[in-house]
């Protein structure tokens, strides 16, 4: 049975949900599932904005067959050539042999790389700012390279002022019937997942996101249709403000994320002591994570949100605990910057952890290490309280 949703008089959401997939990109846990959006415009010409993931192909075909109601499909616009959105191109060409696939040079390069069918008679190559008239609706293609793939483009529909924004403004989390963000409790149900999606998938490309935001700021936008998550038709400045902050690596909130690696609990104890002291000095809304317990995507997301971080790690075979090393390298790879960082290291016979963490952090852009790293041998002792108090004091004064 088809499952479609009207966005406006002649535009339909024809996507679907996947709540079975364990990990998005086979990497990120998605406890609330994910949705793959696709949108169908009916006008003198018909145009489909992107397709969906293989997991929901059957429903997708039913959806567009239903909405088209016997009409031909004239255009398939490909804003993003990642396979979670393009699993159905070949099937659509087979079903609608007159279809024109709309994409840029890179889009067609990627179609050829991923698939084997002959689409040479179905290509409509466009460049930045080209337009395509469907009748009453007019599509304008705005390239948005490296948000987060090189072929990405946004499509702006000029009559209804809709921005089809590829993965930008998307989120993890399936839709529970309500398609529009204003019909959901977005801040409680989706916002953390939108941030986790942004930070981990798009986070590296802050400057490219900024460039894309600047490009679209020239257009009046009434609706944002992303490829994942709810459609935005109200309170757009809220979402655009989040994207502006996230892409400029500017924290949303003053606060501390504590992350530790501990085998036998001594580093964990030290981090609890530090957090406890910070709390008693009035620091609110802290987050603490065991690197071996929580998937890094959640920790990274919180680091995107908060202004301060404290990392604590044991020394492991003269190096860093593997989980902590990979976590810090991931943060660096994602271009994380502009945070204030406290460092806590431990070891039993040759403490290397603090120095090694400091090296990685200092190789990142605009990361400020607060005070001197706090070091312990095996376990924290009473006689170190003065030193830890000094560490906490320095850290605190960098927050206020
Ligand atoms: C496999 C393994 C390798 C370790 N390698 C080192 C090391 O190279 N240098 C060092 O000073 N301590 C080393 N340690 C000791 C840890 O750093 C030690 O577990 C820590 O001091 C106690 O903290 P914890 O209770 O938080 O795990 C190692 C421990 C283990 C289990
Ligand atoms: Fe993508
Ligand atoms: Fe996607």
């Amino acid at each position: 049975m088809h499952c479609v949703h009207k966005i406006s008089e002649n535009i339909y959401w024809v996507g679907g949900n996947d709540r079975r997939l364990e990990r998005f990109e086979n990497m990120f846990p998605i406890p609330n599932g994910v949705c793959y959006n696709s949108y169908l415009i009916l006008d003198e010409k018909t145009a489909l904005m992107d397709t969906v993931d293989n997991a929901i192909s059957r429903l997708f075909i039913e959806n567009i067959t239903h909405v088209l109601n016997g009409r031909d499909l004239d255009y398939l616009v490909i804003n993003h050539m990642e396979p979670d959105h393009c699993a159905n191109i070949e099937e659509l060409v087979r079903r609608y042999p007159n279809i024109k696939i709309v994409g840029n040079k890179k889009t067609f390069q990627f179609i050829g790389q991923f698939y084997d069918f002959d689409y040479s008679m179905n290509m409509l190559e466009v460049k930045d700012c080209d337009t395509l008239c469907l009748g009453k609706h007019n599509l304008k293609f705005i390239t948005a390279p490296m948000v987060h793939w090189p072929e990405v483009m946004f499509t702006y529909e000029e009559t209804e002022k809709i921005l089809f924004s590829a993965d930008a403004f998307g989120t993890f989390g399936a839709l529970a019937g309500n398609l529009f963000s204003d019909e959901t409790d977005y801040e409680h149900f989706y916002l953390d997942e939108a941030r986790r999606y942004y930070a981990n998938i798009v986070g590296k490309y802050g400057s490219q996101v900024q460039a894309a935001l600047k490009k679209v700021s020239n257009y009046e936008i009434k609706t944002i249709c992303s490829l994942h998550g709810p459609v935005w038709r109200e309170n757009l400045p809220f979402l655009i403000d989040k994207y502006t902050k996230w892409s400029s690596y500017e924290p949303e909130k003053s606060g501390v994320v504590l992350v530790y690696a501990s085998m036998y609990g001594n580093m964990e104890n030290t981090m609890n002591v530090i957090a406890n002291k910070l709390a008693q000095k009035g620091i609110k809304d802290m987050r603490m994570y065991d690197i071996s317990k929580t998937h890094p995507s959640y920790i990274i997301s919180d680091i995107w949100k908060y202004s301060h971080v404290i990392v604590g790690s044991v020394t492991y075979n003269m190096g860093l605990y593997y989980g902590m090393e990979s976590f810090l390298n991931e943060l660096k790879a994602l271009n994380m910057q502009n945070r204030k960082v406290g460092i806590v290291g431990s070891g039993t016979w040759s403490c290397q952890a603090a120095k090694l963490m400091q090296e990685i952090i200092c190789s990142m852009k605009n990361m400020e290490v607060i005070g001197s790293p706090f070091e312990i041998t095996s376990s924290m002792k009473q006689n170190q309280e003065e030193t830890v108090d000094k560490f906490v004091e320095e850290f605190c004064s960098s927050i206020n």
Side-chain angles (χ1 to χ4, degrees):
M1 171 71 185
H2 63 264
C3 183
V4 303
H5 208 122
K6 251 188 173 188
I7 293 199
S8 66
E9 195 46 36
N10 294 305
I11 304 185
Y12 293 79
W13 173 81
V14 290
N17 293 304
D18 186 351
R19 292 187 185 79
R20 288 194 174 195
L21 184 69
E22 193 61 38
R23 286 179 181 235
F24 187 79
E25 292 185 0
N26 211 10
M27 193 174 338
F28 308 106
I30 40 169
N32 303 322
V34 64
C35 76
Y36 305 108
N37 296 330
S38 169
Y39 307 91
L40 184 49
I41 305 174
L42 301 182
D43 204 323
E44 285 163 32
K45 296 285 184 189
T46 58
L48 183 65
M49 313 304 294
D50 294 287
T51 82
V52 294
D53 188 82
N54 224 347
I56 57 162
S57 292
R58 192 175 156 205
L59 171 68
F60 175 65
I61 296 294
E62 246 182 291
N63 284 350
I64 53 179
T65 307
H66 169 72
V67 174
L68 283 172
N69 194 20
R71 290 189 64 182
D72 202 8
L73 183 56
D74 298 304
Y75 297 107
L76 165 61
V77 176
I78 301 192
N79 288 310
H80 186 19
M81 243 325 277
E82 192 167 358
D84 58 332
H85 305 292
C86 339
N88 306 273
I89 302 175
E90 185 174 359
E91 180 63 22
L92 289 177
V93 171
R94 202 175 297 131
R95 283 173 183 253
Y96 305 101
N98 300 320
I99 196 171
K100 288 280 180 243
I101 304 171
V102 183
N104 54 57
K105 204 175 172 138
K106 272 262 178 263
T107 320
F108 290 110
Q109 179 196 327
F110 289 179
I111 297 181
Q113 288 173 203
F114 277 110
Y115 305 113
D116 280 327
F117 67 100
D118 178 14
Y119 54 89
S120 54
M121 303 305 288
N122 303 89
M123 290 168 63
L124 177 59
E125 192 175 308
V126 292
K127 290 191 189 67
D128 192 27
C129 292
D130 280 359
T131 56
L132 175 66
C133 185
L134 304 175
K136 290 195 185 74
H137 294 88
N138 209 22
L139 304 180
K140 183 159 194 172
F141 307 105
I142 304 164
T143 55
M146 293 320 297
V147 179
H148 60 141
W149 275 32
E151 85 298 355
V152 169
M153 46 183 208
F154 296 164
T155 299
Y156 178 67
E157 198 291 302
E158 293 177 330
T159 308
E160 298 195 50
K161 307 192 186 319
I162 301 175
L163 184 72
F164 295 96
S165 63
D167 279 339
F169 306 110
T171 180
F172 294 133
L175 297 173
N178 298 112
L179 176 64
F180 297 98
S181 63
D182 55 274
E183 299 169 337
T184 71
D185 187 353
Y186 191 90
E187 283 197 54
H188 289 110
F189 188 71
Y190 288 109
L191 181 59
D192 285 345
E193 287 295 79
R195 186 187 299 103
R196 188 164 67 95
Y197 179 87
Y198 177 86
N200 288 278
I201 291 172
V202 193
K204 182 181 175 70
Y205 304 105
S207 58
Q208 290 87 345
V209 173
Q210 294 263 310
L213 287 174
K214 192 160 173 240
K215 255 177 146 175
V216 297
S217 68
N218 299 324
Y219 301 87
E220 186 192 352
I221 299 167
K222 287 194 171 151
T223 307
I224 296 178
C225 292
S226 162
L227 288 175
H228 302 282
V231 167
W232 284 75
R233 62 180 176 186
E234 278 181 21
N235 203 11
L236 271 56
F238 171 85
L239 184 65
I240 290 167
D241 174 64
K242 293 290 175 206
Y243 257 67
T244 305
K245 286 207 169 76
W246 295 342
S247 59
S248 55
Y249 307 93
E250 184 192 324
E252 284 162 74
K253 231 185 140 182
S254 172
V256 188
V257 182
L258 299 101
V259 197
Y260 64 82
S262 178
M263 286 168 282
Y264 300 109
N266 293 290
M267 176 53 73
E268 178 182 9
N269 169 250
T270 307
M271 295 294 272
N272 278 317
V273 168
I274 291 171
N276 184 37
K277 285 178 181 292
L278 286 168
Q280 291 182 61
K281 286 195 168 292
I283 307 301
K284 295 193 173 74
D285 194 24
M286 283 181 283
R287 302 294 158 101
M288 175 141 20
Y289 295 105
D290 182 329
I291 198 70
S292 297
K293 178 75 184 280
T294 305
H295 190 273
S297 63
Y298 290 92
I299 311 174
I300 286 167
S301 176
D302 262 354
I303 293 179
W304 235 266
K305 179 175 179 183
Y306 290 100
S307 56
H308 286 64
V309 190
I310 300 180
V311 285
S313 180
V314 297
T315 303
Y316 195 90
N317 293 339
M318 294 306 278
L320 275 177
Y321 190 79
Y322 302 148
M324 181 58 80
E325 183 173 29
S326 113
F327 169 74
L328 290 175
N329 282 325
E330 206 170 327
L331 260 189
K332 179 178 170 174
L334 288 171
N335 240 331
M336 176 29 79
Q337 43 195 285
N338 302 337
R339 295 298 185 272
K340 295 189 170 161
V341 188
I343 295 174
V344 186
S346 81
T348 295
W349 59 91
S350 168
C351 302
Q352 303 292 328
K355 183 187 71 162
L356 293 169
M357 285 189 288
Q358 186 153 8
E359 271 169 25
I360 302 177
I361 288 156
C362 291
S363 71
M364 293 162 72
K365 276 180 225 149
N366 206 15
M367 298 292 264
E368 185 186 344
V369 175
I370 303 296
S372 329
F374 178 58
E375 292 204 76
I376 55 172
T377 38
S378 300
S379 68
M380 189 181 159
K381 294 286 181 340
Q382 186 73 48
N383 65 8
Q384 288 184 286
E385 192 156 22
E386 215 175 287
T387 322
V388 86
D389 280 343
K390 190 166 167 272
F391 177 86
V392 165
E393 188 61 53
E394 269 181 293
F395 201 75
C396 253
S397 40
S398 79
I399 298 174
N400 302 315

